[in-house]
Amino acid sequence: MPSLPMSSRWWLWLLLLALGGAFFVNLNAWGVLESSEARYAEIGREMLVGQDWLHPRLLGIQHFHKPPVTYWLTAAGLGLFGSSAGAVRVLPVLAVLGQVALMYGLGLLLFSGDKRRAIATAVVYGTLPVVLISALNVTTDAYLATLELLSAYAFVRYHYTPAGKPAAGWLYLGWVALGLGFLTKGPVAVVLPLMAVISLHTNRAAPRRPWSAHHLLAVLLFVLAGLSWYLLLLLDDPKFLRYFLFEHTVQRFANAATFNRAKPWWFYVVLAPLGSLPWSAVLITEVVRNGWRGLCTRWQQVLLWWVLVPLVFFSLSKSKLLLYVLPIFPGVALLTVELLGRRTDAVLFRWYVGFMSLFGLLLGAMCLLPIFGPGFGLTISPVTAMWPAGGVVVLLLTHLFWDEVRIAPKLLVLTVVFTMGLLVSAKAFLGQVEGQANGSRPVAERLEQLKLAQRPVLVYNELLPSLAFEQHKLPISLYDGNHSLQRETQFERDEQWRRHLINLQDPADTVALGAWLRQRPVVLTKKELPTERQYLVKGLSKHEQVGPWTIYY
């Protein structure tokens, strides 16, 4: 890796500014999307409106599928930045930028203070597609990954602090971050910090620190931070013990059908490399070339404990989504930089040519989407193609006119430039196709144009928190067999929830339904209404199509 003419911190700030600028441009171009993002956004909105910070609610019904940190932060984003979709995405973006900075810190520790490789580690991590996706998708995953990475960094920093220098603060930070991670997504928060600690203790060359009273105090802080919310709810209702321990820990891991996330065992084996291209191609190629014996003990431990063991662990789980496996990617970035740093400029140039070809191909394909999109049911304005076209131009200008002769910085800068172009282009396209991408903003906007926004909205057989978020009010959900509308009402203290969830298959609910129908509501359906449900739109003389939805009014 080449020497840096500026301090490495300047390069880190430039990287964060470049990625941050690309993230924040047009962040509100599309509305929140079903199902996960809309769910978190709407729960945060209802929490902010109701000021109940202990009992998350989704469409008026208590919802305890996750601990509250993500909901708190989503509500904070809405309170600080307004009520838009962009507002709930600000803090996840900042969380991911924090991860990039932490990767620089981890690189300094594991590369023995080599600032060039530390910057390279931050670049590789910050340009992984799966990391970019997590920043623009309002779920627990970006926050959890940040807290796991902070905890892992603090534990590694604690171990690497020279004897005689104060280090207890890093120990406390590691355990508190772990506790907050536990309060974000439960026991899975321990995966990356645990793997980092195991890799240190199984490497005889790694530094050791003696046990002390600080360890006990730090664990107590973890308990206070990580279990506080759970204990408060247990005091409120003892049924939460079985709910959290069995239904939302054991069953989520062992039975994906519980949450409809069943995937085959090889899901991550395929998706993790695809979600980290092109760096995963570099890593796999170089690992095969070097072999296990070609790695020193430190990097054998990183490969084993930071990448392979977590990958196996998550693959054993029956419940799988791509972002669940984010904890393996710090190890991926570190190993990629270590192995590329061993290669000659001739080899790096071949990778540079491959990256340039791939990036040009991807941006070029995006330029053609307005032409070929209709064949896939997508209507995209030709003007939108100017964003990827601009990315291609910048890539070419960087290649032709930057007179840097060293390949390593050119490869890193090339990837950052492409990532910026990809982010800006992808957001422009999402704004064009959000209706097909399960967003409800086009429906809410059309209801506003028709002056129907104040009428009750009856949503047939679909859970649609994105519409509630866009309209800032709860729709009435009509259950007719869709499992997503089978809500958990066992913790409700009264029957108020029945006003906004009506079971069409239960004659007892027809009284509440009749009251809504007499108010000349808007009826929203994704599929044609069955014959026996046509009475829902009786008296509604008009209808029109907005994306996949039919609006009756």
Side-chain angles (χ1 to χ4, degrees):
M1 294 284 178
S3 60
L4 298 174
M6 293 191 298
S7 73
S8 60
R9 289 191 178 182
W10 273 107
W11 282 107
L12 177 62
W13 279 112
L14 285 174
L15 172 63
L16 294 176
L17 286 172
L19 291 177
F23 274 127
F24 284 116
V25 167
N26 226 9
L27 196 57
N28 193 43
W30 72 104
V32 295
L33 304 180
E34 298 290 347
S35 61
S36 294
E37 183 180 50
R39 191 165 59 247
Y40 286 103
E42 174 57 15
I43 291 173
R45 187 194 70 83
E46 291 183 41
M47 185 173 278
L48 183 63
V49 170
Q51 296 291 295
D52 183 349
W53 306 101
L54 290 180
H55 304 88
R57 290 184 176 274
L58 176 63
L59 300 185
I61 297 174
Q62 293 182 88
H63 188 86
F64 298 105
H65 287 195
K66 292 289 189 301
V69 163
T70 303
Y71 307 139
W72 292 342
L73 292 172
T74 303
L78 291 168
L80 289 170
F81 306 112
S83 59
S84 67
V88 299
R89 296 187 181 117
V90 171
L91 293 182
V93 167
L94 292 177
V96 167
L97 294 177
Q99 293 172 37
V100 174
L102 286 167
M103 286 305 302
Y104 171 78
L106 266 178
L108 283 178
L109 293 172
L110 294 181
F111 290 115
S112 304
D114 188 331
K115 296 177 181 179
R116 298 167 299 172
R117 296 195 181 195
I119 283 291
T121 302
V123 170
V124 172
Y125 184 83
T127 56
L128 292 171
V130 66
V131 173
L132 306 179
I133 291 170
S134 73
L136 297 176
N137 192 19
V138 183
T139 65
T140 61
D141 301 292
Y143 298 128
L144 178 66
T146 304
L147 291 166
E148 283 190 279
L149 197 49
L150 176 60
S151 180
Y153 170 76
F155 288 142
V156 174
R157 179 74 180 267
Y158 170 75
H159 279 275
Y160 274 85
T161 300
K165 291 191 175 183
W170 295 111
L171 183 66
Y172 288 116
L173 177 61
W175 279 102
V176 169
L178 185 59
L180 293 174
F182 204 87
L183 206 58
T184 302
K185 203 172 181 178
V188 73
V190 307
V191 172
L192 179 58
L194 178 63
M195 295 299 103
V197 170
I198 290 175
S199 69
L200 287 170
H201 284 281
T202 54
N203 180 4
R204 294 181 180 179
R208 296 285 187 271
R209 297 193 66 89
W211 287 86
S212 69
H214 291 299
H215 288 83
L216 179 59
L217 292 173
V219 171
L220 289 175
L221 284 177
F222 160 77
V223 172
L224 287 173
L227 300 183
S228 55
W229 179 73
Y230 298 95
L231 293 174
L232 287 171
L233 289 185
L234 277 175
L235 291 174
D236 191 40
D237 192 332
K239 293 197 297 290
F240 277 111
L241 182 62
R242 172 180 171 81
Y243 183 80
F244 287 129
L245 289 182
F246 183 69
E247 294 183 31
H248 279 274
T249 301
V250 176
Q251 282 199 2
R252 185 178 290 274
F253 185 89
N255 183 13
T258 306
F259 297 98
N260 196 33
R261 288 172 181 167
K263 300 291 188 299
W265 67 266
W266 45 262
F267 179 78
Y268 291 130
V269 178
V270 174
L271 265 291
L274 288 177
S276 51
L277 285 171
W279 295 114
S280 57
V282 175
L283 177 60
I284 293 170
T285 300
E286 296 300 327
V287 166
V288 171
R289 176 186 170 276
N290 284 270
W292 179 259
R293 296 180 182 276
L295 300 173
C296 68
T297 302
R298 172 183 296 181
W299 298 108
Q300 287 175 346
Q301 298 303 314
V302 171
L303 176 60
L304 178 63
W305 295 107
W306 292 56
V307 179
L308 296 180
V309 170
L311 186 63
V312 170
F313 169 78
F314 287 113
S315 295
L316 291 174
S317 171
K318 300 297 183 182
S319 180
K320 296 183 179 73
L321 290 176
L322 176 60
L323 295 183
Y324 288 0
V325 80
L326 275 173
I328 75 167
F329 293 106
V332 167
L334 288 161
L335 278 165
T336 301
V337 172
E338 162 63 17
L339 293 175
L340 268 186
R342 302 178 181 186
R343 304 299 268 149
T344 64
D345 267 5
V347 174
L348 292 178
F349 181 73
R350 289 199 290 271
W351 283 116
Y352 175 83
V353 171
F355 276 38
M356 175 65 85
S357 302
L358 175 64
F359 295 160
L361 182 64
L362 290 175
L363 291 174
M366 293 181 76
C367 292
L368 298 176
L369 279 177
I371 299 174
F372 295 104
F376 299 94
L378 304 175
T379 303
I380 300 172
S381 168
V383 177
T384 313
M386 72 177 186
W387 297 107
V392 172
V393 170
V394 174
L395 279 177
L396 289 174
L397 291 176
T398 303
H399 172 70
L400 293 174
F401 296 105
W402 187 27
D403 60 359
E404 174 63 61
V405 296
R406 296 161 299 180
I407 303 302
K410 293 190 73 168
L411 180 62
L412 296 174
V413 169
L414 171 77
T415 311
V416 172
V417 170
F418 166 74
T419 299
M420 294 171 65
L422 179 66
L423 283 171
V424 173
S425 302
K427 286 183 285 185
F429 282 108
L430 276 170
Q432 297 271 310
V433 301
E434 66 174 298
Q436 291 81 3
N438 289 328
S440 295
R441 180 187 284 180
V443 173
E445 290 175 342
R446 185 56 183 156
L447 292 177
E448 189 71 38
Q449 292 166 1
L450 294 170
K451 303 187 185 309
L452 300 173
Q454 301 308 312
R455 288 196 193 181
V457 177
L458 276 59
V459 181
Y460 175 72
N461 211 29
E462 296 284 346
L463 186 70
L464 201 59
S466 60
L467 182 64
F469 181 85
E470 298 294 346
Q471 287 201 303
H472 313 302
K473 69 174 187 177
L474 303 186
I476 297 89
S477 303
L478 304 179
Y479 171 78
D480 200 17
N482 186 342
H483 74 276
S484 69
L485 281 168
Q486 294 177 336
R487 306 292 306 283
E488 297 172 336
T489 58
Q490 66 267 39
F491 299 111
E492 295 299 316
R493 301 294 176 87
D494 55 41
E495 298 294 303
Q496 287 297 314
W497 60 272
R498 293 185 180 277
R499 279 182 51 81
H500 291 93
L501 177 58
I502 296 175
N503 186 354
L504 296 181
Q505 300 177 352
D506 183 356
D509 273 12
T510 55
V511 175
L513 177 60
W516 288 119
L517 292 177
R518 285 191 291 273
Q519 297 182 43
R520 288 185 58 80
V522 173
V523 176
L524 195 61
T525 179
K526 211 169 191 178
K527 299 177 181 177
E528 186 175 350
L529 283 172
T531 303
E532 66 273 18
R533 304 300 182 203
Q534 289 293 322
Y535 67 88
L536 293 171
V537 296
K538 185 178 180 181
L540 303 179
S541 58
K542 299 179 181 179
H543 70 275
E544 60 181 78
Q545 198 77 19
V546 178
W549 295 96
T550 304
I551 303 173
Y552 292 89
Y553 60 99

